[in-house]
Amino acid sequence: MKILLTGGAGYIGSHTAVALHEAGFEPVVLDDFSNSHPAVMDRLARLTGRPVALERGSVLDTEWLEGVLRRHAPAAVVHFAGVKAVGESVAQPLKYFRINIEGAISLLRAMESVHLGPQPPGPPMLVFSGSATVYGDPARMPITEDFPLSHTNPYAHSKRVIEEMLQAVCLAQPLWRVGVLRYFNPVGAHPSGLIGEDPAGIPNNLMPYVAQVAVGRRPSLTVFGNDYPTPDGTGQRDYIHVQDLAEGHVAALRALLAGTGSFTVNLGTGRPSSVLEVVRAFEQASGRPVPVQIGPRRPGDIARCWADPSLAERLLGWKARLGLEAMCADAWRWQSGNPQGYAD
Ligand code: UDP
């Protein structure tokens, strides 16, 4: 059974492709490599023991997407393709609205014309890469899915608009089956060290930055504020191993294929870690020092953010298994084996 992964060569997409292969599905990767590396495809072939089908192009091209859907007739689509840097989204909001929102509209239109036209291959089924940023800065922790939504930047705004579009589409045409997965903070890498996160330029996110300090690419980490109302003063997040996240997609697809109606769930561990806890765990896992300096708060950052992941367990039978130690050990294996990422 084929599953089409838009953005399948990216960080989360590539790990999900391997998890789907292991679960007996046939992943088809669709990517324009605008923020990923073609070398991922060779790594995927090594991990799955066979070439993984690739469709190279942009989700903005609706007609081409229709052709891809007709050619492969996938049972479902997982929509990862999009831009994801919060800071960049503040500086370039239109890029975020165009690629994320127009991209989703383009995919939904292509799916609609193939699945709701004459001789449909099956009902339209979609798993969407959502984000915990749609909760804004919640007053309480842990976060459940019924918390009010708000956004503090165009990236989060785009994710929220797409969720609302998906709801409207499901309301208009009940044949649609849609699973929205609100990711918390994905980190780590495949335990083989063959695939991992390879951000272009200076990493925005904590774990890849820490990994690059440990491997000697950068001199030190700047901790963005140590005066938050948290136990050690640094920001707390719900880091989730990308392998657990990949399994979450498999569980979501299985649920949709089994006929579950549409759903929206958090994918997190439910356990917060502070910036300094991550740094210590990484030093432990790598055996390398990670020098830190304390800097000012990063504008727009929130103090705390972690999930109540119990709905995903109830609905999908999915639960995160891996802790911070495994996240750091696997991120380190990837980083130390590929100091320059896929360019090595
Ligand atoms: N952080 C930091 N230095 C960095 C990058 C991140 O101190 O170079 C902190 C950040 O302030 C937050 C946590 O690490 O408290 C996670 O940041 P990230 O950007 O990875 O995730 P997000 O803030 O989007 O949840």
Side-chain angles (χ1 to χ4, degrees), residues 291-307:
V292 299
Q293 48 192 36
I294 307 298
R297 291 183 180 191
R298 179 169 65 178
D301 262 1
I302 59 177
R304 308 177 311 152
C305 179
W306 67 90

Side-chain angles (χ1 to χ4, degrees), residues 2-233:
K2 286 188 182 182
I3 307 292
L4 182 69
L5 311 181
T6 75
Y11 173 44
I12 302 170
S14 56
H15 290 78
T16 302
V18 176
L20 283 169
H21 167 80
E22 280 165 6
F25 296 97
E26 187 181 341
V28 176
V29 167
L30 184 155
D31 212 296
D32 64 359
F33 299 112
S34 55
N35 193 27
S36 58
H37 205 289
V40 173
M41 300 310 299
D42 297 330
R43 308 286 177 98
L44 290 181
R46 277 170 71 182
L47 286 168
T48 61
R50 55 193 283 192
V52 171
L54 170 68
E55 291 288 350
R56 187 170 189 161
S58 166
V59 288
L60 293 167
D61 188 343
T62 313
E63 264 180 47
W64 174 72
L65 276 181
E66 278 180 32
V68 169
L69 290 169
R70 289 189 210 283
R71 240 185 344 273
H72 291 281
V77 178
V78 188
H79 184 41
F80 296 102
V83 278
K84 58 171 187 175
V86 171
E88 183 189 57
S89 80
V90 176
Q92 299 180 51
L94 293 178
K95 175 175 176 182
Y96 281 70
F97 297 139
R98 193 173 94 84
I99 298 178
N100 291 0
I101 298 178
E102 271 188 47
I105 293 173
S106 172
L107 174 65
L108 292 170
R109 285 182 56 222
M111 289 179 73
E112 196 173 70
S113 76
V114 171
H115 289 271
L116 302 177
Q119 297 175 323
M125 255 184 256
L126 179 72
V127 171
F128 173 61
S129 292
S131 166
T133 56
V134 298
Y135 295 116
D137 188 359
R140 285 179 293 116
M141 294 293 143
I143 300 170
T144 49
E145 289 80 356
D146 55 0
F147 271 32
L149 302 188
S150 71
H151 55 265
T152 54
N153 57 69
Y155 163 74
H157 195 175
S158 72
K159 291 288 175 181
R160 189 176 165 195
V161 168
I162 297 166
E163 282 200 18
E164 287 167 356
M165 288 190 328
L166 291 170
Q167 267 177 20
V169 164
C170 290
L171 201 65
Q173 176 46 269
L175 271 178
W176 277 90
R177 299 188 209 165
V178 175
V180 174
L181 307 180
R182 291 179 180 155
Y183 308 156
F184 279 68
N185 289 61
V187 296
H190 190 273
S192 65
L194 283 174
I195 54 173
E197 188 171 12
D198 183 18
I202 301 170
N204 297 303
N205 297 110
L206 178 64
M207 184 74 86
Y209 203 105
V210 168
Q212 292 192 6
V213 173
V215 85
R217 266 175 82 174
R218 301 184 189 280
S220 65
L221 169 81
T222 302
V223 176
F224 297 145
N226 67 348
D227 57 351
Y228 282 107
T230 60
D232 66 15

